[in-house]
Amino acid sequence: MSEIVKDIDNAVSEEVIEEVAENAQEQAEAAIEETAKPKKASKPPKQKGMKIPYERRKALYGYGFIALWLLGSIYFFMMPVIESIIYSFCDTIPAPDQGGMSLDFVGLKNYKNALTVHPTYPIALPEVLGDTLLKTPLILVFSIFIAIILNQKFKGRTVARAIFFLPVIIATGPVIDIINGNMDSAGTNGGSEQFNSLFETDLVGDLLTFLGIYGISDKLTEIINTLTSDIFNLVWNSGIQILLFLSALQTIPFSAKEAAQMEGATSWEYFWKITLPYISPMIVASLVYTIVDSFVDPENQVMKIVLGMGKNWEFGYQAAMLWLYFIIVAVALGIVIAIVNKFVYYEVG
Amino acid sequence: MATKREERLFEKEMQKIRKARYEKMKAEGIENYLTPEQIRYNKNKKIIGAVWPIFRFLIIFGLGFVILYPIIFMLSTAFRPYEQMNDPSIIWLPKSFTLQNMQETFDIMSFDTTVLNTVRLNLIASVLQVITCSITGYGFARFNFKGKSILFGIVIAMILVPPQIITIPMYLQYAFFDLFGLIPLFNGGETITLINSGWTMYLPAMFANGIRAGLFILIFRQFFRGLPKELEDAAYLDGCGPFKTYIKVMVPNAKTSFLTVFLFSIVWYWNDYYVSSSFFTRNDTVALMLKNLDSELTSRLFNNQTPGIRAMIVWLESGCLLTIAPILIMYIFLQRYFIEGIERSGLVG
């Protein structure tokens, strides 16, 4: 591998030198020609050796750089994707002797079944969608808040940062399942469950009752409840987002801070007028990450249903469900991004 | 942009000047110098400056506790004798410590061989992945070629499409591996199976299509785009070809980015449950082992009787601790690079 690269490199570098020399010579010749016979239309300069112009050659190198990935993504990504789309239009019967799967084209039947016949899928779909739309802004606001705190200067900042990024290291894979007590044998008391039962209080309800407000709005109460009672999941799910916002906060130029101080901006004004515009591109990135992350989470209801389908060998049905889900998610994502993008401030330059 | 040191110096100097000026004004009567609004602004700032650190400490301490809770719980449980699990007088500190749980879990998971196996898979795949993703990212960052935006769209699609969608086609591809029909030519018309071999991890990584490869390509692209173009121009003028330029000039400049991606790659491969559970039928990796720990426990320690609700928790938490221990130790030593790396790796921009 590296030898080939070296070979190519040597060849290329020689060519480059040659061409540079040739070009210079040609230009000189052309100049002499022009001065000698100014009235004659100058012919296009003759090229010897490599005939591909520099720009085209660079483009070819571009292909060279991505060739490995391109091959891989055809084999490991695009082909499986296409195959899975084909499955979704077929009845699949496992057949180990003919390449694993025999297909029976049935058109849109799988999609129709998923939406009309399946007992839980059509109910779970809007639920998961709503849940995500509720949780995403919470996670974003929370992680911006934490990122701003972690960006301030105080003693023990390094330790605080290390703790807040711990979920990034741990919160994937089966460890979080045990922590959440979600193992196959239901009822295993994990850390988070114990945490929730230790600190379970209906603070919001109590407060609202205390204030004499009863059932002002179920949705509002639900949002506040998610924030207060589910703080465990909130904190454990926003590691990457905090990281992204923190890195965005570091890009705010010092001159902006200085100017704001000179003008006598309060911290509140500083946040809205300087911090938020500067980190707004990252808001889009975290938004995409949060939404995708919560949709792909194997613990959400739709994913549970869909992954359970695989056990019955109904891969066509499963594929149809997944693609339906994915399309809905993609459309939702597209709409959200289109809206948010209007408020994003990109620095010129 | 000012460096950190300049910033600190500036801040210090400003404070000194402000203090001196304020003392002077106070001596001469503050009303002569400032409008009432300014006085109010200063007062507010002083109050916030005194109160905010307390709040900040409370917030960080509280949330830090939420994050650390499962780990403290893990530590408390893993070394606790099994009988003391149901003792209501014990919350955190058990009455006696034992290493028996750890030992038994270690044996059941056959932790020594599993860990070596996982480390091998992990390191090879991560190294391959970092190399290929960086090459691809560089190709996308610095070369213009036809269809670049479409190809980059595929990279984005790789991030967005959940891996579960393509599990089944991928499984079939691995089970009847023919590499575009090449392998049967040499193998007498037979395909080979890659299921249960490390190649299911190495091959995609080799072609920049491993776990979360899309994200890594994106990170590298952003980083390389942020480097000054003059670096390469100088190399080209000196007669370097693009590949040599990449290796000699760009790679040394991208060290932090490489380290970040490498660390994240290791973490994600370590925690990966999806790939290993789809393509391995044996318990070969730590994550897979942990996921199946409860069924192993049932058959080995409880003679296939269904154990009680909290009976297995000590072993499960020991398994968790064993699983995250290597990655946690790595994180404690390298957390600086995780955090600073992502801040500098050019995710922003």
Side-chain angles (χ1 to χ4, degrees), chain B residues 249-280:
Chain B
V249 180
M250 300 314 267
V251 173
N253 274 303
K255 265 186 211 150
T256 41
S257 192
F258 270 89
L259 191 65
T260 312
V261 170
F262 181 64
L263 290 178
F264 272 99
S265 185
I266 282 191
V267 167
W268 277 326
Y269 267 103
W270 185 271
N271 287 326
D272 165 69
Y273 164 70
Y274 161 74
V275 171
S276 44
S277 69
S278 308
F279 306 130
F280 293 155

Side-chain angles (χ1 to χ4, degrees), chain A residues 13 63 162 169 177 189 194 265, chain B residues 41 73 146 239 271 291 313 331:
Chain A
S13 52
Y63 286 121
I169 312 295
D177 285 349
N189 225 350
Q194 174 149 11
Chain B
Y41 176 78
F73 182 73
K146 253 187 200 165
N271 287 326
K291 190 80 180 177
I313 189 83
Y331 179 66

Side-chain angles (χ1 to χ4, degrees), chain B residues 109-341:
Chain B
M109 290 173 85
S110 44
F111 195 69
D112 39 357
T113 52
T114 320
V115 145
L116 283 181
N117 197 9
T118 315
V119 166
R120 202 190 67 228
L121 284 172
N122 201 333
L123 278 182
I124 296 176
S126 295
V127 168
L128 286 172
Q129 168 131 315
V130 169
I131 293 171
T132 51
C133 283
S134 74
I135 291 174
T136 312
Y138 183 63
F140 275 115
R142 277 298 155 83
F143 295 95
N144 280 319
F145 41 85
K146 253 187 200 165
K148 185 175 159 183
S149 48
I150 296 171
L151 290 174
F152 197 66
I154 296 175
V155 175
I156 302 296
M158 277 169 63
I159 302 175
L160 296 185
V161 173
Q164 287 90 345
I165 284 189
I166 56 174
T167 314
I168 303 302
M170 287 285 268
Y171 184 88
L172 292 180
Q173 268 187 12
Y174 287 135
F176 304 97
F177 189 71
D178 61 356
L179 201 72
F180 302 112
L182 279 178
I183 283 176
L185 291 181
F186 302 104
N187 214 9
E190 290 286 310
T191 54
I192 52 174
T193 176
L194 294 180
I195 299 299
N196 266 335
S197 87
W199 288 102
T200 50
M201 279 194 182
Y202 306 151
L203 266 183
M206 210 183 277
F207 288 96
N209 269 272
I211 295 171
R212 305 211 193 190
L215 194 63
F216 293 145
I217 293 174
L218 190 70
I219 291 178
F220 274 120
R221 169 182 175 262
Q222 300 292 64
F223 181 80
F224 282 128
R225 264 183 17 157
L227 287 180
K229 245 197 163 119
E230 286 77 16
L231 275 175
E232 286 155 293
D233 289 344
Y236 285 149
L237 274 185
D238 286 346
C240 267
F243 286 100
K244 205 172 178 183
T245 307
Y246 166 74
I247 291 164
K248 290 256 158 104
V249 180
M250 300 314 267
V251 173
N253 274 303
K255 265 186 211 150
T256 41
S257 192
F258 270 89
L259 191 65
T260 312
V261 170
F262 181 64
L263 290 178
F264 272 99
S265 185
I266 282 191
V267 167
W268 277 326
Y269 267 103
W270 185 271
N271 287 326
D272 165 69
Y273 164 70
Y274 161 74
V275 171
S276 44
S277 69
S278 308
F279 306 130
F280 293 155
T281 49
R282 292 195 308 266
N283 286 340
D284 266 348
T285 66
V286 173
L288 205 55
M289 210 59 155
L290 183 66
K291 190 80 180 177
N292 296 328
L293 185 60
D294 57 342
S295 58
E296 290 279 326
L297 280 172
T298 319
S299 67
R300 288 222 211 160
L301 283 182
F302 295 94
N303 301 325
N304 284 326
Q305 289 164 335
T306 321
I309 291 174
R310 305 187 67 178
M312 291 196 299
I313 189 83
V314 286
W315 289 283
L316 285 179
E317 296 284 350
S318 313
C320 254
L321 200 61
L322 279 176
T323 307
I324 62 169
I327 219 89
L328 210 57
I329 290 167
M330 186 188 88
Y331 179 66
I332 288 168
F333 284 109
L334 296 176
Q335 53 93 4
R336 201 159 65 88
Y337 295 102
F338 272 93
I339 296 156
E340 280 175 17

Side-chain angles (χ1 to χ4, degrees), chain A residues 94 108 110 319:
Chain A
L108 284 171
N110 284 330

Side-chain angles (χ1 to χ4, degrees), chain A residues 4-317:
Chain A
I4 297 171
V5 172
K6 236 182 233 168
D7 281 353
I8 294 172
D9 266 336
N10 288 339
V12 167
S13 52
E14 276 163 25
E15 276 161 21
V16 169
I17 296 169
E18 267 176 33
E19 203 197 31
V20 169
E22 273 170 19
N23 277 348
Q25 218 180 345
E26 272 164 16
Q27 273 172 2
E29 278 171 13
I32 292 166
E33 255 184 354
E34 266 180 44
T35 45
K37 306 167 190 172
K39 277 173 192 171
K40 209 173 182 179
S42 61
K43 281 178 199 167
K46 251 204 256 170
Q47 276 195 343
K48 291 165 246 165
M50 269 299 252
K51 287 205 173 124
I52 308 169
Y54 178 67
E55 284 299 318
R56 277 272 299 287
R57 205 128 56 84
K58 252 197 119 176
L60 282 182
Y61 279 119
Y63 286 121
F65 270 103
I66 66 161
L68 209 59
W69 164 80
L70 194 59
L71 266 182
S73 69
I74 287 172
Y75 197 74
F76 294 109
F77 180 70
M78 297 186 355
M79 267 169 54
V81 162
I82 291 166
E83 243 168 273
S84 142
I85 292 174
I86 294 172
Y87 287 176
S88 73
F89 293 106
C90 296
D91 262 339
T92 52
I93 302 134
D97 45 328
Q98 359 165 333
M101 200 79 91
S102 79
L103 302 173
D104 189 9
F105 186 75
V106 289
L108 284 171
K109 190 188 116 198
N110 284 330
Y111 289 91
K112 257 186 221 154
N113 280 356
L115 281 181
T116 53
V117 179
H118 197 277
T120 45
Y121 183 77
I123 306 164
L125 209 54
E127 245 172 53
V128 170
L129 209 66
D131 199 39
T132 307
L133 290 184
L134 187 78
K135 257 188 193 165
T136 309
L138 276 182
I139 289 182
L140 286 190
V141 171
F142 176 77
S143 46
I144 290 177
F145 179 68
I146 295 297
I148 287 174
I149 288 185
L150 289 181
N151 198 34
Q152 290 173 344
K153 288 185 186 97
F154 56 90
K155 263 183 195 167
R157 180 170 74 158
T158 329
V159 179
R161 282 187 182 186
I163 291 174
F164 274 87
F165 299 138
L166 206 57
V168 179
I169 312 295
I170 300 174
T172 42
V175 175
I176 193 74
D177 285 349
I178 291 186
I179 288 174
N180 277 329
N182 287 335
M183 293 299 285
D184 287 339
S185 55
T188 317
N189 225 350
S192 107
E193 224 169 294
Q194 174 149 11
F195 181 85
N196 282 341
S197 59
L198 247 181
F199 295 93
E200 195 163 11
T201 46
D202 191 12
L203 265 181
V204 182
D206 288 349
L207 187 71
L208 288 180
T209 326
F210 178 73
L211 292 174
I213 304 167
Y214 297 100
I216 180 170
S217 151
D218 285 345
K219 209 71 204 161
L220 185 74
T221 334
E222 202 186 314
I223 293 173
I224 302 172
N225 255 333
T226 322
L227 181 66
T228 51
S229 68
D230 209 17
I231 191 116
F232 184 87
N233 284 325
L234 191 65
V235 176
W236 273 80
N237 282 330
S238 35
I240 292 262
Q241 287 87 335
I242 294 174
L243 209 59
L244 290 175
F245 283 126
L246 198 60
S247 70
L249 284 173
Q250 311 268 320
T251 61
I252 298 177
F254 189 55
S255 54
K257 194 179 168 190
E258 207 180 309
Q261 248 174 15
M262 294 292 174
E263 301 285 345
T266 58
S267 314
W268 184 246
E269 284 162 345
Y270 179 75
F271 172 76
W272 287 105
K273 302 245 161 75
I274 292 179
T275 310
L276 210 57
Y278 266 109
I279 62 171
S280 57
M282 233 0 133
I283 292 181
V284 179
S286 327
L287 193 72
V288 173
Y289 182 85
T290 314
I291 292 181
V292 170
D293 198 45
S294 99
F295 275 124
V296 185
D297 180 14
E299 292 304 325
N300 85 36
Q301 280 186 357
V302 173
M303 271 313 199
K304 263 185 191 163
I305 295 172
V306 172
L307 294 181
M309 296 296 294
K311 284 170 193 156
N312 308 331
W313 298 92
E314 294 185 79
F315 295 124
Y317 203 8

